[in-house]
Amino acid sequence: MMVDWLNYLSLPVTLFGIYAIQAMSLQLILGGAGLLSLGHAAYFAVGAYASGVFTQFVGPALGITSSALLLSGGLLFSFVAAGLAGLVVALPCLRLQGDYLAMATLGFGEIVATIFQNVESLGGTRGFKDVHKLTNPAIIWLGVGLVALLLHRFYRSGFGMAILATRDDEIAARSVGVSTQKAKTLAFVLGSAIAGLSGSFHIHTLQIIAPTEAAFLRSVEIALAVVMGGMYSIRGSILGAFILVSVPEVLRFAPDVIAQNRMLIFALVVIVLMIVNPRGLSDALERVFSRTPARGSSPGSSRSVQS
Amino acid sequence: MLDFLQYVIDGLAIGGLYALIAVGYSMVYGVLQMINFAHGELYMLGAYFVMVLLGAGAPVWFALPAGAVGVGLFAVLMERVAYRPLRGAGRLAPLITAVGLSLFLQYSVQLVFSPNPLSYPFQLSGEIIEFGEDFLVRERDLLIFGVTVVLTLLLEGFVRFTRPGAGIRALAMHPMAARVVGVPINRTVALTFFIGALMACVAGALQGMAVNQIWPYMGVTSGLKAFAAAVLGGIGVLPGALLGGLVLGVSESLLVGYDLSTYKDGAAFLILIAVLLLRPQGLLGRARLVKV
């Protein structure tokens, strides 16, 4: 009985970890740098494909057989490839303001999906299948912890400060000597590269990646986790990923009428949560659990990134 | 060369449908600076509403306008319940709500009707008309293109020459000043959603009548491409939506014609990004002044 439960839980817990990394990587771009990106799944998919290419083709050609080495190589490949993809988008597109950046990034996601659909040697529209399984929940949660720690430290470094300053007031930041364009590019590329890591974990857990996972729906799913959880903190992203995975999963055990329509109910939950807490759940929880007055009473305080 | 012209002609009808959907994205963005990602679902709902009316035996001349008004009222309700509480809550909150809404509508339609494609009770004639020796045009393509142009012109006239139209323009130009001179903000926003939904419904119904198939997810891809069309032409500018739609439709038809159909979804967005980089305000848009 106990073992059954552990077996059952291992997949949702793993998926939760993968989504948590994705959400944290997008949090850096949306909440940290204040850049509207609606194509984040593209970097996730690039990372997944790159990692798959390493473990299926490059690694074996080099004679690597140990699964730890294969996974490390895959992670490195995915990090670099997704970071480069982020750079390709960032260099021309970060000149665009606000919504126009959102539109361009959305477009990039669709383009990446189309490209993968047409690469027959990587499965084409059927997806890149039968990749080695190299992960377990422990490895993935180790990854979650490391990424969270990295981002936490990053926000406190000079680069991190420059990114937050650029978000809060680009002109003021520039006037004190922050290179705002560099700060934005750094946030965008690092966020993309970390999304690539989650792609690597994804493909070596589920053993498949489909080209459509680079497209809009998947990007929106990640953004949903970030915004629903609270886009100005790292723990908000983890909370958002938890809601994204757990709500539909828990509803499976509800009476049939509910279980069969759980995605419908999930969509309703999203709408209601957003209307009630436009600033995300972690913000609301904080207000409930701390006796200090609601955040936002002093200007700017609500927007600094906590972890 | 003749092939090329033929593909262009074929693309105009597809483009017309994109344009009709794009109008809604464009107008809502114009007045609220909000991307209503649930707009593609209004197109889908339109196809289903009109199908139900046709299935109940209503003639087309009644079913189409009645369905459109129904979807229009639904859009007004949607704005009231889901978007108005979030006005002023930043850009991302309404955007995520819109996505939640569009998932909700897809699943609802799937539940009420069926997840599978349904066939349409009324079809447009697919007769081919020959122009001279070389050009062939399907009757229904001609009709779709005609409807698109007429509706866009009517709408442009409405926005330009009527009092509520002036309200929409005022709100798009300067929300604060519009409020000061007494434009009823909420009513104007509702009207904008209503009009956008009317056009989307017509597009959905025409799609159903032309292709004879509608399904709960039909709004996803078409919605995204129509959105690209709206941005391409200049979001917030009505003739821009028409132009953007036609450019996308024609480019798609050309790709299909030259055997590159697997690239057509990506191509639409490649054009979008190229235009954004060269002319961020879109083909017909005017650049906004950014004040420090």
Side-chain angles (χ1 to χ4, degrees), chain A residues 30 36 38 92-93 95-96 99-100 102-104 106-108 110-111 114 117-118 171 216-217 220 223-224 227 231 261 263-264 267-268 270-271 274-275 278, chain B residues 29 33 37 81-82 85-86 89 91-93 95-97 99-101 103-104 107-108 111 224 227 231 235 262-263 265-266 269-270 272-273 276-277 280 292:
Chain A
L30 285 185
L36 268 180
L38 290 179
C93 294
R95 285 185 296 130
L96 297 171
D99 290 333
Y100 290 107
M103 297 161 191
L106 186 163
F108 181 74
E110 300 298 311
I111 293 170
T114 303
Q117 267 165 20
N118 285 287
I171 293 160
F216 180 61
L217 266 184
V220 155
L224 204 131
V227 178
M231 61 188 271
N261 301 305
M263 293 320 286
L264 187 80
L268 265 182
V270 171
I271 299 171
M274 285 318 298
I275 294 177
Chain B
Y29 188 86
Q33 271 79 55
F37 275 117
V81 175
L86 290 171
R91 309 218 136 188
L92 273 165
L95 208 145
I96 297 295
T97 312
V99 170
L101 259 177
L103 293 177
F104 177 73
Y107 295 130
S108 305
L111 193 69
L224 269 186
F227 168 67
V231 180
I235 196 156
T262 50
Y263 288 95
D265 291 347
F269 292 97
L270 202 61
L272 171 72
I273 292 183
L276 278 180
L277 291 178
V292 176

Side-chain angles (χ1 to χ4, degrees), chain A residues 3-193:
Chain A
V3 175
D4 285 354
W5 269 104
L6 282 181
N7 273 337
Y8 167 73
L9 274 179
S10 106
L11 185 62
V13 166
T14 309
L15 287 181
F16 171 27
I18 295 172
Y19 274 111
I21 299 178
Q22 272 167 45
M24 284 188 286
S25 69
L26 182 61
Q27 190 275 332
L28 177 60
I29 297 173
L30 285 185
L35 300 168
L36 268 180
S37 167
L38 290 179
H40 203 60
Y43 316 109
F44 157 79
V46 166
Y49 273 94
S51 184
V53 165
F54 180 82
T55 55
Q56 299 302 111
F57 307 122
V58 179
L62 296 173
I64 301 173
T65 47
S66 121
S67 62
L69 276 180
L70 276 179
L71 182 63
S72 320
L75 283 170
L76 186 69
F77 248 60
S78 66
F79 188 82
V80 173
L84 284 177
L87 191 65
V88 166
V89 176
L91 286 182
C93 294
L94 285 185
R95 285 185 296 130
L96 297 171
Q97 299 287 324
D99 290 333
Y100 290 107
L101 176 66
M103 297 161 191
T105 48
L106 186 163
F108 181 74
E110 300 298 311
I111 293 170
V112 169
T114 303
I115 293 175
F116 283 135
Q117 267 165 20
N118 285 287
V119 181
E120 279 306 321
S121 57
L122 295 179
T125 45
R126 283 158 285 125
F128 192 178
K129 281 193 232 171
D130 302 324
V131 182
H132 302 303
K133 181 164 166 60
L134 300 169
T135 63
N136 59 43
I139 295 181
I140 285 172
W141 276 92
L142 180 69
V144 175
L146 287 176
V147 168
L149 188 69
L150 171 85
L151 286 174
H152 178 78
R153 296 293 292 271
F154 180 74
Y155 276 127
R156 271 151 192 76
S157 71
F159 296 119
M161 298 282 182
I163 287 169
L164 296 183
T166 305
R167 175 199 69 191
D168 286 339
D169 192 331
E170 195 164 343
I171 293 160
R174 214 179 299 161
S175 71
V176 294
V178 172
S179 167
T180 54
Q181 203 60 26
K182 261 188 214 152
K184 286 195 222 170
T185 310
L186 176 67
F188 201 90
V189 171
L190 184 63
S192 310

Side-chain angles (χ1 to χ4, degrees), chain B residues 178-234:
Chain B
R179 190 187 298 263
V180 169
V181 298
V183 174
I185 305 289
N186 287 334
R187 229 188 298 157
T188 307
V189 170
L191 177 69
T192 311
F193 271 84
F194 184 79
I195 294 173
L198 286 188
M199 308 289 257
C201 175
V202 172
L206 284 178
Q207 163 81 17
M209 294 176 193
V211 186
N212 190 22
Q213 255 197 358
I214 59 173
W215 64 102
Y217 300 105
M218 64 191 276
V220 180
T221 321
S222 302
L224 269 186
K225 285 206 196 130
F227 168 67
V231 180
L232 188 66

Side-chain angles (χ1 to χ4, degrees), chain B residues 31-230:
Chain B
V31 298
L32 286 181
Q33 271 79 55
M34 173 204 158
I35 307 172
N36 175 18
F37 275 117
H39 188 67
E41 271 53 54
L42 295 175
Y43 155 81
M44 178 270 291
L45 274 187
Y48 278 88
F49 273 36
V50 175
M51 180 191 76
V52 169
L53 289 172
L54 287 172
V60 180
W61 59 261
F62 175 77
L64 193 58
V69 170
V71 178
L73 292 177
F74 183 84
V76 171
L77 179 75
M78 185 170 97
E79 190 274 328
R80 179 69 194 82
V81 175
Y83 297 154
R84 199 181 296 174
L86 290 171
R87 239 184 260 165
R91 309 218 136 188
L92 273 165
L95 208 145
I96 297 295
T97 312
V99 170
L101 259 177
S102 79
L103 293 177
F104 177 73
L105 293 176
Q106 287 161 20
Y107 295 130
S108 305
V109 167
Q110 199 177 337
L111 193 69
V112 175
F113 295 92
S114 140
N116 303 317
L118 299 177
S119 68
Y120 228 65
F122 177 87
Q123 270 121 56
L124 293 175
S125 144
E127 291 275 310
I128 290 174
I129 312 171
E130 287 180 43
F131 285 89
E133 303 261 301
D134 303 311
F135 298 120
L136 312 170
V137 182
R138 280 199 199 85
E139 258 176 44
R140 61 167 184 248
D141 288 358
L142 209 58
L143 185 81
I144 291 175
F145 184 67
V147 168
T148 307
V149 173
V150 170
L151 282 182
T152 320
L153 285 178
L154 278 178
L155 186 56
E156 180 70 17
F158 174 80
V159 170
R160 211 175 268 195
F161 301 117
T162 67
R163 212 176 149 74
I168 293 179
R169 276 185 296 140
L171 196 54
M173 231 176 260
H174 200 307
M176 186 75 95
R179 190 187 298 263
V180 169
V181 298
V183 174
I185 305 289
N186 287 334
R187 229 188 298 157
T188 307
V189 170
L191 177 69
T192 311
F193 271 84
F194 184 79
I195 294 173
L198 286 188
M199 308 289 257
C201 175
V202 172
L206 284 178
Q207 163 81 17
M209 294 176 193
V211 186
N212 190 22
Q213 255 197 358
I214 59 173
W215 64 102
Y217 300 105
M218 64 191 276
V220 180
T221 321
S222 302
L224 269 186
K225 285 206 196 130
F227 168 67

